[in-house]
């Protein structure tokens, strides 16, 4: 079972070396804003507008295995992931994915939009541990710094989504 189940009201990951990060921010308000933001999130725009490429053009789908492609100068890093949960109902829309072998880190990430009255909030959750691959483990501290920067970009692009 996924540690980042979207539908859980209380998120308490198992202990064991996971770096836990969670943040919720206000994005905007109104029905049109909600509809546009939910549609964008479920089309991977939180990732693509942050500079990533996705190996599929499809809407987020539970069970899908795909590559998140990270351009770094003249090379690209391919991050294999599997979508473990998708929700799109009422006042909740989002998805969670887990990393697969070969990913630079081990863990899960979730992007959850919530509508509370007219207000729309984005919550990002992440569990991170060092990769099982030595080459990635040796630069784990650099990856953690990059992860902080990328999270800032996620929040920025979703805020700008309808500006």
């Amino acid at each position: 079972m996924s540690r980042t189940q979207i539908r859980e009201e209380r998120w308490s990951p198992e202990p064991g070396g996971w770096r836990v990060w969670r943040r919720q921010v206000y994005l905007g308000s109104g029905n049109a804003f909600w509809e546009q933001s939910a549609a964008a999130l479920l089309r991977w725009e939180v990732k693509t507008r942050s500079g990533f490429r996705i190996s599929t053009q499809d809407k987020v789908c539970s069970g899908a295995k795909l590559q998140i492609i990270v351009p770094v100068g003249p090379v690209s890093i391919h991050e294999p992931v599997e979508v473990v949960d998708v929700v799109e109902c009422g006042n909740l829309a989002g998805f969670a994915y887990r990393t697969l072998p070969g990913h630079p880190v081990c863990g899960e990430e979730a992007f959850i939009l919530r509508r509370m009255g007219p207000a729309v909030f984005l919550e990002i959750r992440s569990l991170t541990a060092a990769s099982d691959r030595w080459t990635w483990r040796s630069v784990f501290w650099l990856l953690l710094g990059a992860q902080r920067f990328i999270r800032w970009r996620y929040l920025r692009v979703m805020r700008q989504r309808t500006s």
Side-chain angles (χ1 to χ4, degrees):
M1 175 180 280
S2 171
R3 291 176 195 81
T4 56
Q5 290 294 313
I6 293 172
R7 293 175 185 91
E8 291 181 5
E9 287 301 313
R10 194 172 128 238
W11 184 56
S12 53
E14 300 169 11
W18 295 104
R19 291 176 179 268
V20 179
W21 187 85
R22 182 180 192 167
R23 181 146 180 223
Q24 180 172 293
V25 297
Y26 171 80
L27 294 182
S29 66
N31 286 334
F33 184 87
W34 164 257
E35 294 295 330
Q36 189 175 23
S37 296
L41 182 69
L42 295 173
R43 285 190 318 266
W44 292 99
E45 286 189 30
V46 68
K47 299 293 278 186
T48 59
R49 291 173 50 93
S50 295
F52 296 90
R53 293 190 323 262
I54 307 297
S55 64
T56 179
Q57 298 300 315
D58 297 334
K59 186 175 174 181
V60 174
C61 177
S62 189
K65 292 182 180 179
L66 53 115
Q67 298 279 324
I68 296 173
I69 302 156
V70 186
V72 182
V75 298
S76 292
I77 298 168
H78 290 250
E79 301 178 341
V81 300
E82 177 181 14
V83 178
V84 293
D85 198 10
V86 177
V87 64
E88 185 177 13
C89 62
N91 295 323
L92 192 63
F95 66 96
Y97 65 81
R98 69 180 180 99
T99 64
L100 296 174
H103 195 286
V105 297
C106 180
E108 295 187 3
E109 197 163 48
F111 302 92
I112 306 146
L113 278 176
R114 282 192 172 80
R115 183 168 46 176
M116 296 179 207
V120 178
F121 295 87
L122 173 65
E123 181 178 352
I124 301 174
R125 302 174 183 176
S126 110
L127 299 173
T128 307
S131 173
D132 57 351
R133 302 219 173 160
W134 182 86
T135 52
W136 288 121
R137 288 179 81 80
S138 66
V139 294
F140 184 58
W141 62 276
L142 285 171
L143 297 172
L144 292 175
Q147 191 177 54
R148 280 190 292 276
F149 175 70
I150 294 302
R151 288 176 185 147
W152 172 80
R153 285 174 75 178
Y154 293 156
L155 296 170
R156 182 179 61 103
V157 301
M158 289 303 288
R159 279 188 184 130
Q160 294 173 348
R161 178 75 202 110
T162 57
S163 300

